Amino acid sequence: MEQLILALNTLFVLIGAVMVLAMHAGFAFLEVGTVRHKNQVNALVKIIVDFAVSTIAYFFIGYYIAYQVGFFESASVLAEKSGFELVKFFFLLTFAAAIPAIISGGIAERARFYPQLIATFIIVALVYPFFEGIAWNGAYGVQAWLESTFGAKFHDFAGSVVVHAMGGWIALGAVIMLGARYGRYNKQGQPMSAHPPSSIPFLALGSWVLAVGWFGFNVMSAQAIEGISGLVAINSLMAMVGGILAALVLGKNDPGFVHNGPLAGLVAVCAGSDIMHPLSSLIVGGVAGALFVVTFTLAQNKWRIDDVLGVWPLHGLCGVWGGIAAGIFGSTALGGMGGVSFMSQLIGTGLGIIIALVAGFAVYGLLKTTIGIRLTQEEEYNGADLSIHKIQANPNV
């Protein structure tokens, strides 16, 4: 019976890993549909190569930093317990690799290719695992201090802060260090060209693939079949729906907003999906959808932050909202399961923001001053597809 449970746990986590791996196709097509046609090939190549670099970085360095587990053993040792530790690594790798996939959307259309791969390696090997270890492995005593001081640890079941806020706030540093695309704003800082999405069908496909995979992202975060919870699935569903409807109304039927709305809701519900009531999740998702529409518009038109896919509003701000919302709606007073502290959520979320912001400016600032991170004006005008990959998405058209 024990061996059967181990095998089932391994299968459970493996299915989750494959579902989250599929989300990277969603990241790719969301970017393909949003960027201009001359940058579509670059979006596809970046996402798949970033995943490969992330795997190497996390396998050899990052996973050990986060969990003090390595893989320099014989195959017979690694295969013990049905190879559960291996598929656990695979599952958590897909989370780690989401960080550069998130960043990719923010820096699209003007970032150089190989400097971004270097940034990916540094972030997945060192930056992300540092905070991952704090939040999910109790490293450096932060969780113990929060529990002793405020009565509960920082709770982030599936990564609103650990994955999404980290990726979004690192991306903010990268976007600022890169600067806006040429022609995006005039000398007075006013928007000149909106650069509308190149393909709404591809954008919608990316959104759907991400939304479906997200149920593996959230539900399988239990990492054991005994921990599976229908509550997590339904909370994810309700937050997704709340995000869609809020984005539809505030976005005035804009398809870009509508298809990012479910993602905003799903980002926000990750942290508290195991402890909140479904009605609370609907509210959390609705607030996230509204937050994305409002802050994306402000960032683009008022604050002059040329974040192409809006990854800072979507992942950074909605992730922060999710971390804080878990401390509000996870309480028993609002129908939640309890076991959370608002102050622990606030401090844990704030720590994630600080680490991500510092890392974003440090990593991309260092690369900018040493090897450069931006295409030339001519290369950007020609498009990343021809400038980097020497081929267009549809060469014969």
Side-chain angles (χ1 to χ4, degrees):
M1 182 58 72
E2 182 180 351
Q3 182 56 41
L4 177 60
I5 292 173
L6 281 170
L8 287 173
N9 285 341
T10 301
L11 178 61
F12 177 72
V13 176
L14 178 59
I15 292 171
V18 172
M19 290 181 72
V20 185
L21 174 63
M23 289 176 69
H24 288 263
F27 281 120
F29 278 96
L30 191 73
E31 185 171 338
V32 166
T34 305
V35 299
R36 287 171 288 179
H37 188 270
K38 61 184 179 181
N39 297 297
Q40 289 183 328
V41 171
N42 182 243
L44 292 168
V45 175
K46 271 193 303 179
I47 298 296
I48 197 168
V49 178
D50 270 337
F51 188 88
V53 172
S54 296
T55 301
I56 299 301
Y58 201 60
F59 184 86
F60 287 101
I61 303 172
Y63 195 67
Y64 185 83
I65 289 176
Y67 301 102
Q68 292 74 58
V69 174
F71 301 104
F72 298 100
E73 303 281 354
S74 67
S76 59
V77 173
L78 296 177
E80 292 176 356
K81 300 180 181 178
S82 298
F84 177 78
E85 286 298 330
L86 295 175
V87 297
K88 181 181 177 182
F89 158 78
F90 182 15
F91 181 64
L92 291 171
L93 161 68
T94 58
F95 282 54
I99 301 292
I102 290 167
I103 296 168
S104 174
I107 63 175
E109 301 203 337
R110 75 274 203 202
R112 292 178 61 204
F113 185 64
Y114 285 103
Q116 170 55 21
L117 295 184
I118 295 171
T120 291
F121 188 91
I122 295 169
I123 290 164
V124 177
L126 302 173
V127 178
Y128 170 74
F130 175 69
F131 186 64
E132 180 187 18
I134 290 173
W136 286 345
N137 196 38
Y140 310 111
V142 175
Q143 290 283 39
W145 176 77
L146 289 173
E147 186 174 26
S148 64
T149 306
F150 302 108
K153 297 177 180 179
F154 169 62
H155 185 90
D156 190 357
F157 181 69
S160 287
V161 179
V162 177
V163 178
H164 297 287
M166 281 288 289
W169 286 87
I170 291 173
L172 177 62
V175 167
I176 291 173
M177 295 306 299
L178 263 176
R181 288 166 289 179
Y182 290 109
R184 183 69 180 88
Y185 303 103
N186 61 23
K187 293 181 179 179
Q188 289 72 43
Q190 298 169 325
M192 290 177 60
S193 176
H195 300 322
S198 60
S199 173
I200 296 299
F202 277 152
L203 189 159
L205 174 64
S207 175
W208 271 106
V209 172
L210 282 166
V212 172
W214 222 297
F215 287 85
F217 195 97
N218 285 1
V219 175
M220 271 71 166
S221 284
Q223 296 185 32
I225 197 133
E226 310 98 282
I228 191 170
S229 172
L231 180 65
V232 176
I234 296 305
N235 279 340
S236 301
L237 176 66
M238 295 301 280
M240 180 182 82
V241 169
I244 293 170
L245 296 176
L248 172 70
V249 174
L250 287 179
K252 300 177 181 178
N253 307 328
D254 182 282
F257 284 137
V258 169
H259 286 94
N260 275 284
L263 310 183
L266 286 162
V267 165
V269 82
C270 287
S273 57
D274 62 326
I275 57 172
M276 293 192 300
H277 190 280
L279 291 177
S280 296
S281 295
L282 181 64
I283 295 169
V284 169
V287 171
L291 181 65
F292 171 71
V293 173
V294 172
T295 55
F296 177 84
T297 305
L298 286 172
Q300 293 288 335
N301 298 334
K302 299 293 184 183
W303 302 334
R304 300 190 297 277
I305 299 173
D306 191 15
D307 176 352
V308 180
L309 267 67
V311 298
W312 175 59
L314 181 65
H315 297 274
L317 295 180
C318 292
V320 165
W321 161 237
I324 295 171
I328 300 170
F329 295 99
S331 66
T332 54
L334 292 175
M337 302 279 285
V340 289
S341 160
F342 178 76
M343 285 305 300
S344 292
Q345 295 305 113
L346 198 61
I347 293 170
T349 301
L351 180 61
I353 292 172
I354 292 169
I355 292 171
L357 258 184
V358 170
F361 280 104
V363 171
Y364 285 92
L366 178 63
L367 290 171
K368 181 178 181 178
T369 57
T370 52
I371 60 176
I373 56 176
R374 180 159 183 156
L375 296 175
T376 66
Q377 186 170 359
E378 182 181 0
E379 288 171 333
E380 185 179 327
Y381 177 80
N382 291 331
D385 293 357
L386 287 177
S387 297
I388 298 172
H389 309 289
K390 312 305 179 187
I391 192 169
Q392 294 175 309
N394 304 102
N396 297 322
V397 176

